[in-house]
Amino acid sequence: MSDTKKIAVIVRDRQGEALRVAGGLTLADDTIEVFILDRKLDKNDPEVATPLELVTDIELKVYSNNAENGSTTISLEEMAKKLLEYDFAIPY
């Protein structure tokens, strides 16, 4: 039996902080996936760009309902169904 948890980090208003948390959670050896809701990530803001680079470098799976984010695009309905698979969902 594994103690590994499946954790979803939901990015809304505090984009940079949410991405930093997602990267930091990988230290616990859990499965982390990121869900970006609605808004386009401000990749010109260093507070967002730096943690986004970490998330990309460590190859976390990223989903978004906004195709402009350059991640796997899924609808809100698909996202809601997928979130049921996680042990924890952390909203930001």
Side-chain angles (χ1 to χ4, degrees), residues 61-90:
K61 187 71 177 166
V62 179
Y63 302 95
S64 180
N65 64 332
N66 185 334
E68 293 180 281
N69 285 321
S71 55
T72 302
T73 304
I74 62 175
S75 70
L76 284 176
E77 292 79 19
E78 293 170 311
M79 208 177 277
K81 289 177 186 174
K82 187 154 187 61
L83 286 170
L84 295 173
E85 302 170 7
Y86 294 82
D87 297 304
F88 300 100
I90 303 171

Side-chain angles (χ1 to χ4, degrees), residues 35-81:
F35 291 81
I36 304 168
L37 295 180
D38 304 328
R39 294 181 15 198
K40 181 180 177 187
L41 289 175
D42 184 1
K43 297 176 184 174
N44 293 321
D45 179 354
E47 294 290 321
V48 173
T50 301
L52 179 59
E53 183 178 345
L54 171 65
V55 165
T56 302
D57 288 349
I58 58 179
E59 299 178 353
L60 293 184
K61 187 71 177 166
V62 179
Y63 302 95
S64 180
N65 64 332
N66 185 334
E68 293 180 281
N69 285 321
S71 55
T72 302
T73 304
I74 62 175
S75 70
L76 284 176
E77 292 79 19
E78 293 170 311
M79 208 177 277
K81 289 177 186 174

